[in-house]
């Protein structure tokens, strides 16, 4: 049986770390599931690592729905989260619901939406109508042109306070999970203290309830210089399966990310 949101909340309550990776197709879905991953994220990173763009901006809702259906077909027990790509969640809550429904019909169990306080009414609209939402704060890659690159966020006091306020508002609005990307570890720890929902980190802190990486990054396949938070697990192992098993084991043991994968303010 597929893991449910209740299972993720139970893990969080027990202090059991959630191991999450991105996934875009059925073969990888099978391998990652068998290696013990809890959550597969059909991320809009697919625009970069699958489609070859230099940002996630060209990805459409149809693209994510297609890849979500592939991942669903290749798996039986993992929880499936799908990304709302650029332009699919920024207009009105009603339009966002229509787009999110397409991902849910493809088999997603939760959608991920980038943004802070400005997305609260949208999160509220979806959550109150049966669509669980993971809110994504910190570095939000869809805003790459607004922030001038894939840069660490929340380094100064005002920006840090804003991220904490965003996290609290998103939880109050009904977000089920909070994902934080590329923020200083001390700030990530403060966010973990400020919310009660499970937190997922990528370039954040080992304190988070779980961790996520882009699968191709941890397999050393990225065409770009990997950010600090990427550990190429494949280099320490002989196979994809062993690399993913090591990732899962280290996340579960609270050993990944280490200090060398975190940002220090
Ligand atoms: O699209 C994606 O893969 C993501 C992760 C980096 C969290 O949003």
């Amino acid at each position: 049986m597929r893991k449910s949101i209740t299972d993720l909340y139970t893990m969080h309550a027990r202090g059991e770390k959630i191991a999450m990776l991105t996934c875009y197709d059925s073969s990888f879905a099978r391998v990652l599931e068998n290696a013990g991953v809890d959550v597969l994220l059909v991320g809009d990173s697919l625009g970069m690592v699958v489609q070859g763009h230099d940002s996630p901006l060209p990805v459409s809702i149809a693209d994510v729905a297609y890849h979500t259906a592939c991942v669903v077909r290749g798996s039986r027990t993992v929880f499936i989260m799908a990304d709302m790509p650029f332009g699919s969640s920024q207009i009105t809550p009603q339009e966002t619901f229509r787009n999110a429904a397409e991902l849910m019909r493809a088999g997603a169990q939760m959608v991920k939406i980038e943004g802070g306080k400005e997305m609260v009414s949208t999160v509220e609209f979806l959550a109150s109508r049966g669509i669980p939402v993971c809110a994504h704060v910190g570095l939000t890659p869809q805003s790459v042109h607004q922030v001038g690159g894939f840069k660490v966020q929340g380094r100064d006091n005002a920006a840090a306070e804003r991220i904490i306020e965003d996290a609290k508002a998103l939880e109050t609005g009904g977000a089920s999970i909070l994902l934080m990307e590329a923020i200083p570890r001390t700030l990530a720890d403060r966010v973990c203290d400020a919310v009660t929902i499970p937190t997922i980190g990528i370039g954040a802190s080992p304190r988070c309830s779980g961790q996520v990486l882009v699968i191709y990054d941890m397999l050393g396949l990225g065409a770009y210089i990997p950010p600090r938070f990427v550990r190429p697990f494949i280099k320490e192992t002989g196979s994809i399966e062993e690399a993913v098993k090591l990732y899962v084991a280290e996340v579960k043991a609270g050993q990944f990310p280490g200090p060398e994968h975190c940002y220090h303010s």
Side-chain angles (χ1 to χ4, degrees), residues 19 46 53 86 93 98 103 114 117 120 131-132 147 166 230 243 262:
L46 76 87
H53 299 294
F86 180 64
R98 251 192 307 277
L103 302 186
E114 292 187 6
K117 274 195 180 130
V120 168
I131 300 186
V147 297
D166 282 347
V230 171
C262 296

Side-chain angles (χ1 to χ4, degrees), residues 20 22 24 41-46 56 83 112 114 136 141 179 181 202 212-214:
M20 175 165 157
T22 68
Y24 319 99
L41 166 66
V42 185
D44 63 358
S45 50
L46 76 87
D83 233 346
K112 178 165 79 58
E114 292 187 6
H136 180 158
L179 186 147
E181 178 168 357
I202 173 165
V212 63
L213 282 179
V214 170

Side-chain angles (χ1 to χ4, degrees), residues 224-238:
Y224 36 78
I225 298 167
R228 180 186 179 91
F229 54 75
V230 171
R231 176 169 152 193
F233 284 86
I234 192 80
K235 293 202 175 134
E236 303 162 55
T237 58

Side-chain angles (χ1 to χ4, degrees), residues 61 83-85 87-105 111-114 118-119 121-127 129 131 133:
I61 198 82
D83 233 346
M84 296 291 289
S88 69
S89 61
Q90 287 88 354
I91 304 177
T92 62
Q94 287 81 355
E95 184 157 338
T96 307
F97 187 94
R98 251 192 307 277
N99 288 326
E102 201 167 319
L103 302 186
M104 302 301 276
R105 276 194 293 273
V111 298
K112 178 165 79 58
I113 294 182
E114 292 187 6
E118 72 285 358
M119 299 310 292
S121 57
T122 297
V123 170
E124 219 159 30
F125 192 89
L126 266 58
R129 288 162 177 78
I131 300 186
V133 178

Side-chain angles (χ1 to χ4, degrees), residues 137-139 151-153 179-188 200-206 208 210-213 227-231 256-258 260-264:
V137 300
L139 171 61
K151 294 179 179 161
V152 182
Q153 301 296 305
L179 186 147
M180 323 172 217
E181 178 168 357
I183 59 174
R185 178 179 176 163
T186 48
L187 171 58
I200 303 288
I202 173 165
S205 165
C208 293
Q211 303 293 329
V212 63
L213 282 179
R228 180 186 179 91
F229 54 75
V230 171
R231 176 169 152 193
F256 177 79
E260 68 277 29
H261 307 114
C262 296
Y263 298 100
H264 305 281

